[in-house]
Amino acid sequence: MGKTTYMLRDIPNEERPRERMMKYGAGVLSQAELLAILLRTGTHQESAIHMAQRMIGEIGGIRGFMDLSLEELTKMRGIGPAKAVQIKAGIELGQRLTVSRQPEAQIIRSPRDAADIVMEQLRYLQKEHFVCLFLNTKNHIIAQETLSIGSLNASIVHPREVFRAAIKCCSASIVCAHNHPSGDPTPSSEDILITNRLCEAGEIVGIDVLDHIVIGDGEFVSLKEQGLM
């Protein structure tokens, strides 16, 4: 006998994700149910809920969506450009909402201030992202940019790219940050080497590198505080 497929129409109204959210609130929904609402519809073979459950399983958990590009999403079974855009928009909105809750952290007075800015953006990523916060003379953040994605090494994070971006926005100083997908923020020898190269280049162009923050899962390490720069 073939495998029985249950579609969303087979689920009682009161048990469907959208109806449950309207009645009880978003907090009671599972990750798959929330994703199913973003997907809106499934396929002839599976419901939106089953599609969401399968996708989460394929990428190893909900955090996996943070690193998937639109192209990678559309390669997943049942996901076309429209659904891919809906997923990415939902993720981006969540990230922006997290940042918007911290307006007081837009002035960098300590490593904690810098970590608070980037923590929720970086802690769940499965690839290393190198980010720079560009500051004015009063340590207000005037811009933020992700300059590389991938394993952190000297060929990917080059001083010319960092300071080209800093000069473009008339930055007086910068704070660098990157994540460790392992969740352990302990700086590697490569982290220290890159930081020292950036500091040397900053002295030449007259833009101070104030700190390099390594982000783990809910914790961070400041190379400045550790005496590593």
Side-chain angles (χ1 to χ4, degrees):
M1 294 181 63
K3 182 179 179 181
T4 301
T5 301
Y6 293 97
M7 307 306 291
L8 192 59
R9 62 177 175 269
D10 300 318
I11 301 174
N13 282 343
E14 65 274 12
E15 295 181 16
R16 296 178 185 180
R18 189 177 302 171
E19 284 70 18
R20 277 175 26 85
M21 182 171 175
M22 292 175 65
K23 187 172 183 178
Y24 302 111
V28 305
L29 270 62
S30 68
Q31 293 177 347
E33 288 175 314
L34 290 169
L35 179 57
I37 290 175
L38 287 177
L39 294 173
R40 295 183 61 194
T41 60
T43 66
H44 292 301
Q45 289 75 37
E46 59 183 350
S47 69
I49 293 178
H50 285 98
M51 181 185 291
Q53 291 171 334
R54 171 176 54 79
M55 291 174 67
I56 292 172
E58 287 177 0
I59 62 175
I62 199 74
R63 293 185 181 187
F65 286 108
M66 298 286 287
D67 278 325
L68 291 181
S69 65
L70 285 172
E71 183 180 1
E72 289 170 327
L73 278 169
T74 56
K75 290 179 179 178
M76 301 185 78
R77 178 159 51 90
I79 302 300
K83 281 185 169 58
V85 167
Q86 286 165 200
I87 294 170
K88 291 296 287 185
I91 292 170
E92 180 65 23
L93 187 60
Q95 287 184 284
R96 294 189 186 188
L97 180 61
T98 299
V99 174
S100 71
R101 291 172 179 171
Q102 301 170 342
E104 74 282 354
Q106 298 304 309
I107 301 177
I108 303 301
R109 299 185 181 91
S110 68
R112 168 61 66 180
D113 289 340
D116 285 345
I117 293 288
V118 299
M119 176 66 74
E120 296 305 316
Q121 300 172 47
L122 299 180
R123 65 183 292 189
Y124 301 120
L125 298 176
Q126 296 178 349
K127 295 178 183 177
E128 291 193 6
H129 287 55
F130 185 86
V131 174
C132 278
L133 303 177
F134 302 107
L135 315 179
N136 63 17
T137 55
K138 296 183 178 180
N139 283 3
H140 288 76
I141 296 177
I142 55 177
Q144 176 179 333
E145 187 171 345
T146 299
L147 295 175
S148 75
I149 300 175
S151 297
L152 193 62
N153 60 57
S155 64
I156 292 179
V157 182
H158 197 284
R160 67 169 170 264
E161 305 301 330
V162 173
F163 290 103
R164 178 185 299 160
I167 292 169
K168 183 172 65 176
C169 62
C170 300
S171 177
S173 59
I174 64 173
V175 174
C176 304
H178 81 280
N179 62 302
H180 281 179
S182 66
D184 180 0
T186 303
S188 67
S189 57
E190 191 70 31
D191 296 341
I192 298 170
L193 175 62
I194 290 170
T195 304
N196 289 332
R197 291 185 67 213
L198 290 172
C199 288
E200 292 171 1
E203 289 180 5
I204 294 172
V205 299
I207 299 176
D208 292 334
V209 179
L210 300 182
D211 206 342
H212 185 172
I213 307 293
V214 184
I215 299 294
D217 189 0
E219 53 185 350
F220 72 94
V221 169
S222 158
L223 270 71
K224 183 74 170 181
E225 286 186 335
Q226 296 295 313
L228 298 175
M229 58 180 292

